[in-house]
Amino acid sequence: MASLQSYFVLVPWLLMFIIPALSMKTFAEEQQTGTLYWLFSQPLKISDLVLGKFLSVWVVGILCLIPSLIYLYTVYVLGVPEGNIDLGMTFGSYIGLIMLIAAFSGVGILASSLSQNQIMAYLLGVFMCFIMYFGIEQLASYKLLGGADFILQNIGFYQHFLGFTRGLIDFKDVAYFVLIIGVSLVLSNHFINKKK
């Protein structure tokens, strides 16, 4: 059966660098150029500002996935027999990527709200995304904490994204990503309010 599994293994590593690059300008550049204080003077709530910037990074991240549909079409057509591809697993993986992009966007917005300039925002965003996706998983794989390794493993993005790549859209995985996004946006809102 034809598969895009190797693509879905590689893409999170690319997104780990692309999404912080998209989100590094959201608040760090606003603060660096002084336009953040102009935004504070507008009749906008800070939460609306944070949500708008998050949605813009998320949508641009999703648009980065559109060219990969060419791969899906190619594998679908070249499969023997034609169409010999597990579409459930493939579409589940795409939904997982959309959720992962949202989580990376939330973390990137948080990094940008913490930083004074864009370079620091990018480096902090990449570091936080790496720790959340791969670092926690690797720490848990050393089996240093006994039974707590399972809990530690479920804190990171990797285990929750893995369910999507198997074609399983589980409520707990979706709820986990929504929780991470919510916590990131609430913390971003708090740090931006402190700059006011």
Side-chain angles (χ1 to χ4, degrees):
M1 181 162 291
S3 174
L4 287 173
Q5 273 310 103
S6 57
Y7 171 77
F8 293 116
V9 168
L10 177 66
V11 168
W13 290 95
L14 296 174
L15 292 174
M16 200 179 300
F17 294 99
I18 293 171
I19 300 301
L22 293 173
S23 64
M24 72 180 180
K25 297 178 78 169
T26 52
F27 289 110
E29 184 186 32
E30 299 277 0
Q31 186 172 358
Q32 197 173 11
T33 59
T35 55
L36 186 62
Y37 303 107
W38 177 79
L39 284 173
F40 289 153
S41 69
Q42 299 303 309
L44 290 169
K45 291 190 283 188
I46 301 297
S47 58
D48 292 342
L49 189 64
V50 170
L51 186 63
K53 289 190 179 271
F54 164 74
L55 289 174
S56 66
V57 172
W58 188 26
V59 167
V60 172
I62 291 171
L63 291 176
C64 291
L65 292 178
I66 289 177
S68 72
L69 295 176
I70 295 169
Y71 297 134
L72 176 62
Y73 175 74
T74 304
V75 170
Y76 183 85
V77 169
L78 294 178
V80 178
E82 184 174 321
N84 188 21
I85 186 170
D86 187 355
L87 291 176
M89 186 174 67
T90 303
F91 289 129
S93 298
Y94 272 111
I95 291 171
L97 281 179
I98 289 170
M99 297 302 290
L100 193 64
I101 288 170
F104 282 163
S105 299
V107 170
I109 296 283
L110 176 60
S112 184
S113 68
L114 287 170
S115 302
Q116 298 290 330
N117 61 31
Q118 297 176 50
I119 307 290
M120 283 305 298
Y122 177 72
L123 294 175
L124 183 62
V126 169
F127 177 73
M128 290 167 66
C129 288
F130 176 80
I131 292 297
M132 289 300 293
Y133 182 76
F134 188 70
I136 293 174
E137 175 70 24
Q138 282 304 304
L139 185 62
S141 71
Y142 291 130
K143 308 280 188 234
L144 299 174
L145 303 173
D149 286 324
F150 177 73
I151 296 169
L152 186 63
Q153 206 172 28
N154 282 317
I155 292 174
F157 293 168
Y158 180 76
Q159 282 298 318
H160 297 281
F161 176 67
L162 201 61
F164 286 105
T165 61
R166 295 177 182 142
L168 302 172
I169 301 173
D170 193 3
F171 174 76
K172 74 177 177 78
D173 294 332
V174 173
Y176 168 79
F177 281 117
V178 169
L179 176 70
I180 291 293
I181 295 161
V183 168
S184 298
L185 295 182
V186 166
L187 288 174
S188 300
N189 192 16
H190 172 71
F191 289 120
I192 295 299
N193 268 321
K194 282 179 73 174
K195 293 179 181 179
K196 196 171 183 181

